[in-house]
Amino acid sequence: MKALLKLISLEIRKNKLKSLLTGAAIVNLAILAFMILVIFIDQSESEGTFNTYSDVFEGLFVFVKAAYLIFASVIISKLIIDEYKNNTITLLFMYPISRKKLMTAKIMIVFIFTFVSIIVSSIVIGAILLGINYFVNIVQGELTLHLITTELIKTVASAFYAAGIALIPLYFGMKKKSVPATIVSAVLVTSLISGGFDQARLGNLAAVSISLGLLGAGIAFLAIRNIEHKDIA
């Protein structure tokens, strides 16, 4: 475990991934601005979408999840696909480091970043929206401790599945050794599970989220298992 943590730390420093925090901050500001705009516009409609706190939390999570699923594909491209495309992975494989451990470290960075970012972003942006609503009182209803607890549990569970789903583009990126294929596949998956507010979303179905999360985990497992024999040319 110590060796894996060291590899993760080295990958973060080598790829200057601390800059992702700046990107995440920009993403969160964009989501916050969009949510404020949508909520205010929604109030002018005869039948609003965000009538309750539950509606607001659900809408927020949809935006956060969609943003970080695509963000994860960018990280996959930077950590893995680019190195295969430019053949710099060959140099890495010359070091006395297990290929499986190296790939595991890269995939763990994507999974952990996506998981933590979705949770932190949902909580921070949600808290800001609640603070704004305290003064303008747009969203009606009572905010109870039970509702907050329920939403937090749901967010953590959904973030875990989403982090698994975020690994699905790895298959398309590795197959084509293509950054565009990686990102486009992420956009397609995101559109599939996050489309629409007024109709049932696939992402709201637990069975679908679990299945896609397991699919992403399976793709990651195969990428790690086959790395010792995979042609890097």
Side-chain angles (χ1 to χ4, degrees), residues 202-222:
L202 287 177
N204 285 345
L205 302 176
V208 173
S209 293
I210 294 172
S211 298
L212 290 177
L214 290 174
L215 175 60
I219 289 171
F221 172 77
L222 291 176

Side-chain angles (χ1 to χ4, degrees), residues 30 37 52 56 72 76 106 129 151 197-198 216 219 223 225 230:
L37 179 64
T52 66
V56 173
I76 290 174
K106 290 175 179 290
L129 290 175
E151 291 297 331
F197 277 108
D198 297 325
I219 289 171
R225 190 189 69 175
K230 189 172 182 62

Side-chain angles (χ1 to χ4, degrees), residues 106-208:
K106 290 175 179 290
I107 290 174
M108 286 298 295
I109 289 173
V110 178
F111 184 91
I112 293 172
F113 178 84
T114 306
F115 176 67
V116 173
S117 295
I118 289 176
I119 294 175
V120 172
S121 298
S122 297
I123 292 174
V124 172
I125 298 174
I128 294 174
L129 290 175
L130 292 178
I132 294 173
N133 189 66
Y134 177 80
F135 293 101
V136 298
N137 196 30
I138 291 179
V139 181
Q140 304 300 317
E142 183 181 1
L143 183 64
T144 64
L145 180 60
H146 174 72
L147 175 61
I148 293 175
T149 304
T150 300
E151 291 297 331
L152 282 174
I153 294 173
K154 187 192 301 183
T155 297
V156 172
S158 298
F160 187 78
Y161 301 139
I165 295 171
L167 299 175
I168 293 177
L170 177 63
Y171 170 79
F172 300 96
M174 291 286 284
K175 188 176 180 64
K176 300 288 186 179
K177 293 185 175 64
S178 167
V179 170
T182 308
I183 297 175
V184 168
S185 63
V187 172
L188 292 176
V189 170
T190 301
S191 301
L192 177 67
I193 63 177
S194 302
F197 277 108
D198 297 325
Q199 68 249 31
R201 283 188 299 271
L202 287 177
N204 285 345
L205 302 176
V208 173

